[in-house]
């Protein structure tokens, strides 16, 4: 069947170079999705897979004007249907046919429109203007092709969706107005993230002048989720690598897992450290507890060095820390927690694994000592703080070395 | 426990006699005292009464040693207790500067 027979206005019928996706709304609000194939000032030929019956249909053209159309009963075949234009609704009024501009907007591609609009410009500037407009058009096409969001134009407090085929995002108008107000106030582009139920939206506001501009709403939920997955995977790799390199002595855990590594009983002592002079109090308290169980002096000294390193880190990076200590017949365990910014992922290997002293300042010294002496270090670090659990076994094997250590007269201050 | 620093002078040798702890709370005092020394060609840092040292203290000690060695001044850190020497050794100071600089008691 010849599609040109579907509608009237043969002389001005024009087949679209690229079929345009449109939505036909029935009188009772149902939606049919179609592709506009041919346009004349008085009719449209549309391919519709699931056309429902309706006395007439409304078609919204890019938010610019609305067409009230009626299906021509005896001319359609299969999914191809002809429609008479009954009314054209535009800001300036209603008419029974498309005017020249509306016809061109529907019938011509954007490139053809640019060529036509710039036809009368002087040759010297025509190519420059055409090139610029087409570059902007290409950008728009890329956005359309991505189908990642919705573009909205705002004028005063009215929002008008731009483009077609874009995903509709239902963000509260209040949120959009807030961004628009900021744009108007500053005259500068604004950007904010909004969380709506489980979705995350990246909203960009671009002011054109003090009362109008554009809003670009991007659904970034999948991007953010992917980033989270990558971060978790990254941490998992660090965990496994660090655990392997340290022979299982340094264990990185999440904050929630900490409880399974720590006692929930009353600690043998607990202290909050706010100034560097208090580090010595922690060392003295721990040393006294260990002397009570006849722990070797050398081991006490080395253990207090480890605690001192962890407490010093808390003071240096968080300004304060909390220390809790448990001594049981088989091990001594100290937890040092702070509310600092945490150790950055990329600094973790350097902070924990850097061996040997360097004349350039390194984060690694403290951890080198701890890893050399302790049996286990459990660490949880995130932007809310860092917690370290230091553990040293107190076993018969260790007690054997007392004789070897008796020669040292060092007492921890 | 704070750090006590006594400076002794004998001919072209300066001695810093340290007592107490050399840690995060006292390194600034130590750094200030080493910066004020002038007019000598040998520096002895006596660790006999040092009861505790941490990595911050070790870092400033190493910096002082490096700074004076670069000026051609001989440096000796003497009377280091066994546990402190062990920590310096773990961190590679003894192998970096040599056992003639860090001397165990």
């Amino acid at each position: 069947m010849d599609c040109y027979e579907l509608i009237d206005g043969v002389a001005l019928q024009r087949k679209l170079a690229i079929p345009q996706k449109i939505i036909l709304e029935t009188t009772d609000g149902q939606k049919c999705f179609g592709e506009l194939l041919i346009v004349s000032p008085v009719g449209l030929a549309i391919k519709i897979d699931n056309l429902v019956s309706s006395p007439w249909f409304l078609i919204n053209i890019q938010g610019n004007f609305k067409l009230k159309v009626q299906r021509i009963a005896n001319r359609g075949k299969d999914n191809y249907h002809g429609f008479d234009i009954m009314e054209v609704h535009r800001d300036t009024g209603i008419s029974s046919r498309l005017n020249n501009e509306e016809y061109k907007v529907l019938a011509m591609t954007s490139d053809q429109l640019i060529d036509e609009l710039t036809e009368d410009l002087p040759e010297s500037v025509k190519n420059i203007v055409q090139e610029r407009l087409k570059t902007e058009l290409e950008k728009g096409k890329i956005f359309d092709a991505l189908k990642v969001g919705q573009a909205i134009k705002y004028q005063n407090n009215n929002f008008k969706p731009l483009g077609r085929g874009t995903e509709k995002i239902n963000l509260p108008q209040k949120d959009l107005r807030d961004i628009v107000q900021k744009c108007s106030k500053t005259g500068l582009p604004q950007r904010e993230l909004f969380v709506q139920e489980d979705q995350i939206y990246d909203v960009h506001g671009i002011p054109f002048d003090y009362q109008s501009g554009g809003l670009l709403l991007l659904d970034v939920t999948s991007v953010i989720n992917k980033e989270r997955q990558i971060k978790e995977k990254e941490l998992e790799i660090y965990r496994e690598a660090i655990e392997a390199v340290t022979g299982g002595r340094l264990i990185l855990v999440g904050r929630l897992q900490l409880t399974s590594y720590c006692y929930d009983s009353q600690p043998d002592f607990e202290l909050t450290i706010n100034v560097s002079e208090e580090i010595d109090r922690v060392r003295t308290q721990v040393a006294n507890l260990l002397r009570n169980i006849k722990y070797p002096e050398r081991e006490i000294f080395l253990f207090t060095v480890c605690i001192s390193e962890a407490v010093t880190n808390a003071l240096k990076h968080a300004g304060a820390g909390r220390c809790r200590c448990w001594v049981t017949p088989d091990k001594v365990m100290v937890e040092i927690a702070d509310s600092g910014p945490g150790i950055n992922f990329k600094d973790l290997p350097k902070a924990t694994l850097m061996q040997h002293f360097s004349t350039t300042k390194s984060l690694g010294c403290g951890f080198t000592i701890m890893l050399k002496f302790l049996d286990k270090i459990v660490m949880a670090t995130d932007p809310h703080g860092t917690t370290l659990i230091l553990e040293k076994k107190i076993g018969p094997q260790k007690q054997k070395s007392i004789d070897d250590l008796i020669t040292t007269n060092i007492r921890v201050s | 426990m704070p750090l006590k620093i006594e400076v002794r002078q004998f001919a072209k040798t300066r001695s810093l006699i340290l007592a107490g702890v050399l840690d995060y709370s006292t390194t600034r005092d130590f750094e200030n005292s080493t910066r004020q020394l002038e007019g000598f060609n040998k520096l002895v840092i006596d660790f006999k009464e040092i009861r505790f040292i941490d990595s911050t203290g070790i870092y400033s000690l190493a910096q002082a040693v490096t700074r004076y060695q670069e000026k051609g001044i001989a440096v000796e850190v003497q009377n280091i207790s066994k546990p402190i020497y062990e920590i310096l050794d773990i961190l590679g100071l003894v192998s970096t500067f040599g056992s003639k600089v860090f001397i165990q008691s």
Side-chain angles (χ1 to χ4, degrees):
Chain A
M1 181 183 177
D2 187 349
C3 282
Y4 290 101
E5 293 172 15
L6 286 171
I7 54 174
D8 293 329
V10 179
L12 283 168
Q13 277 188 22
R14 189 152 184 170
K15 188 179 173 195
L16 274 64
I18 304 162
Q20 187 183 135
K21 284 187 169 39
I22 54 169
I23 299 169
L24 295 89
E25 200 173 322
T26 65
T27 48
D28 56 1
Q30 288 187 69
K31 285 179 178 169
C32 304
F33 296 88
E35 282 184 2
L36 182 59
L37 304 173
I38 297 173
V39 178
S40 87
V42 292
L44 308 171
I46 305 171
K47 182 179 177 235
I48 306 167
D49 291 333
N50 300 305
L51 183 65
V52 295
S53 177
S54 176
W56 46 263
F57 300 85
L58 268 182
I59 304 170
N60 194 340
I61 304 294
Q62 298 168 20
N64 294 318
F65 54 94
K66 278 182 184 171
L67 301 177
K68 185 176 174 183
V69 299
Q70 189 173 41
R71 183 171 167 259
I72 307 167
N74 53 355
R75 289 203 209 164
K77 190 175 179 188
D78 298 330
N79 299 331
Y80 296 89
H81 307 277
F83 291 85
D84 278 331
I85 293 173
M86 299 160 68
E87 291 170 3
V88 181
H89 295 249
R90 56 182 82 90
D91 289 345
T92 51
I94 300 173
S95 72
S96 59
R97 55 186 290 144
L98 294 170
N99 65 28
N100 192 35
E101 286 73 30
E102 289 156 355
Y103 167 69
K104 282 178 183 167
V105 163
L106 275 178
M108 296 168 86
T109 64
S110 304
D111 290 88
Q112 289 168 335
L113 272 173
I114 288 171
D115 288 341
E116 175 153 330
L117 290 169
T118 53
E119 189 53 44
D120 296 332
L121 290 173
E123 282 300 321
S124 56
V125 295
K126 192 160 94 178
N127 286 343
I128 299 169
V129 172
Q130 280 185 352
E131 198 178 317
R132 283 190 186 172
L133 287 171
K134 283 179 182 173
T135 304
E136 290 306 310
L137 184 66
E138 277 163 12
K139 284 186 200 165
K141 280 179 183 169
I142 290 169
F143 271 123
D144 271 358
L146 282 171
K147 288 186 181 168
V148 287
Q150 191 179 33
I152 296 171
K153 185 186 171 188
Y154 68 83
Q155 181 97 37
N156 296 325
N157 264 331
N158 297 318
F159 296 98
K160 181 175 162 188
L162 298 173
R164 53 182 178 271
T166 50
E167 204 178 312
K168 179 92 176 154
I169 294 171
N170 293 315
L171 268 181
Q173 289 236 333
K174 188 193 165 296
D175 291 338
L176 300 182
R177 282 187 214 288
D178 285 347
I179 286 218
V180 166
Q181 274 178 5
K182 282 181 191 166
C183 285
S184 303
K185 210 171 180 178
T186 60
L188 296 169
Q190 301 291 324
R191 183 182 180 187
E192 272 182 44
L193 280 180
F194 290 98
V195 179
Q196 173 93 335
E197 292 167 1
D198 289 338
Q199 303 298 109
I200 304 160
Y201 298 107
D202 188 4
V203 180
H204 297 250
I206 306 110
F208 300 153
D209 56 43
Y210 76 98
Q211 59 182 4
S212 70
L215 288 171
L216 184 64
L217 286 65
L218 305 170
D219 183 346
V220 292
T221 314
S222 58
V223 179
I224 300 270
N225 284 342
K226 191 73 196 167
E227 272 181 13
R228 275 186 193 148
Q229 281 173 12
I230 291 169
K231 282 256 177 208
E232 275 165 23
K233 188 77 193 161
E234 202 176 48
L235 181 61
E236 194 56 40
I237 292 166
Y238 274 131
R239 271 181 197 146
E240 286 173 10
I242 286 174
E243 210 171 315
V245 169
T246 60
R249 271 180 297 161
L250 178 55
I251 301 164
L252 293 180
V253 297
R255 191 157 289 279
L256 294 174
Q257 294 167 277
L258 268 176
T259 47
S260 58
Y261 289 92
C262 205
Y263 291 126
D264 55 6
S265 59
Q266 186 70 26
D268 290 299
F269 95 86
E270 189 169 359
L271 204 66
T272 302
I273 308 107
N274 293 303
V275 290
S276 60
E277 287 71 20
E278 284 170 339
I279 304 172
D280 197 46
R281 278 183 65 199
V282 177
R283 287 196 296 257
T284 307
Q285 295 254 28
V286 174
N288 288 341
L289 280 172
L290 293 173
R291 278 193 195 106
N292 289 342
I293 59 159
K294 311 275 185 241
Y295 200 51
E297 281 299 326
R298 171 188 172 267
E299 308 280 308
I300 291 173
F301 175 79
L302 291 172
F303 192 66
T304 52
V305 172
C306 295
I307 295 165
S308 195
E309 294 299 331
V311 174
T312 302
N313 279 345
L315 270 179
K316 269 185 190 172
H317 304 294
R322 188 192 64 168
C323 179
R324 298 192 295 167
C325 178
W326 294 263
V327 179
T328 68
D330 61 336
K331 66 181 171 189
V332 52
M333 191 161 78
V334 176
E335 180 203 65
I336 294 120
D338 68 54
S339 307
I343 303 174
N344 199 322
F345 271 166
K346 65 180 169 57
D347 293 332
L348 264 180
K350 202 165 76 177
T352 54
L353 301 175
M354 201 158 152
Q355 297 282 319
H356 301 305
F357 179 79
S358 159
T359 45
T360 57
K361 202 160 197 166
S362 81
L363 287 160
C365 289
F367 273 95
T368 305
I369 296 168
M370 288 191 258
L371 284 167
K372 200 88 182 173
F373 177 69
L374 297 170
D375 293 309
K376 195 193 277 181
I377 306 167
V378 180
M379 177 162 78
T381 185
D382 61 29
H384 305 291
T386 300
T387 299
L388 282 176
I389 299 170
L390 315 181
E391 210 178 288
K392 181 74 183 169
K393 282 178 192 157
I394 302 172
Q397 212 178 346
K398 299 289 173 199
Q399 298 291 345
K400 263 192 215 171
S401 58
I402 289 176
D403 292 343
D404 179 45
L405 304 161
I406 252 165
T407 49
T408 58
N409 293 318
I410 295 303
R411 294 183 68 81
V412 175
S413 55
Chain B
M1 174 181 280
L3 177 69
K4 284 181 187 168
I5 305 165
E6 187 190 333
V7 184
R8 289 182 193 167
Q9 188 175 334
F10 180 76
K12 286 280 184 185
T13 299
R14 296 286 181 282
S15 296
L16 285 179
I17 317 293
L18 308 182
V21 299
L22 185 54
D23 70 355
Y24 183 54
S25 65
T26 59
T27 45
R28 190 166 290 174
D29 297 337
F30 173 70
E31 284 167 8
N32 289 340
S33 70
T34 58
R35 282 205 182 92
Q36 287 162 5
L37 301 174
E38 278 176 355
F40 60 100
N41 56 23
K42 184 177 178 182
L43 175 66
V44 172
I45 301 172
D46 193 327
F47 255 50
K48 193 178 177 186
E49 296 298 324
I50 282 291
R51 297 179 180 184
F52 186 86
I53 191 165
D54 73 354
S55 64
T56 322
I58 293 168
Y59 175 76
S60 52
L61 177 65
Q63 271 209 320
V65 173
T66 307
R67 197 168 54 242
Y68 283 115
Q69 281 186 339
E70 280 172 0
K71 288 178 183 172
I73 295 167
V75 185
E76 276 181 18
V77 185
Q78 298 177 346
N79 296 318
I80 305 170
S81 68
K82 193 177 174 183
I84 289 179
Y85 194 85
E86 193 174 346
I87 295 285
L88 299 181
D89 199 25
I90 286 172
L91 290 178
L93 253 78
V94 179
S95 58
T96 304
F97 295 98
S99 55
K100 285 183 180 171
V101 175
F102 291 98
I103 303 159
Q104 198 176 329
S105 57

